[in-house]
Amino acid sequence: GYAPPGSRQSRQPAVQVEPGIYEAALVPDEPGTYYVYVQSLSQGLPFRGSPALVLSVEAPPGGSAGH
């Protein structure tokens, strides 16, 4: 199937792993293109002001994920 862009969203808080270094887990549920945005209220970076990190996820060899 095909999901239109922006039809699914996941929001997760980042966890500080070192001073000034944060991480959040992203586990795509199917192949496709994913756009990742961040927000930092303490740094004055709104969600809509964040540049997109574009991820391209492919099906594993020999099969398709999520089907």
Side-chain angles (χ1 to χ4, degrees):
Y2 172 78
S7 64
R8 294 177 297 162
Q9 292 185 9
S10 173
R11 295 185 183 206
Q12 302 174 12
V15 177
Q16 186 172 11
V17 294
E18 292 182 36
I21 306 293
Y22 294 82
E23 70 180 15
L26 169 68
V27 181
D29 59 353
E30 62 183 69
T33 301
Y34 292 81
Y35 295 85
V36 180
Y37 299 90
V38 298
Q39 173 177 286
S40 175
L41 298 177
S42 66
Q43 296 298 310
L45 177 64
F47 178 75
R48 291 188 176 155
S50 171
L53 169 65
V54 182
L55 303 175
S56 179
V57 177
E58 297 180 6
S64 60
H67 296 272

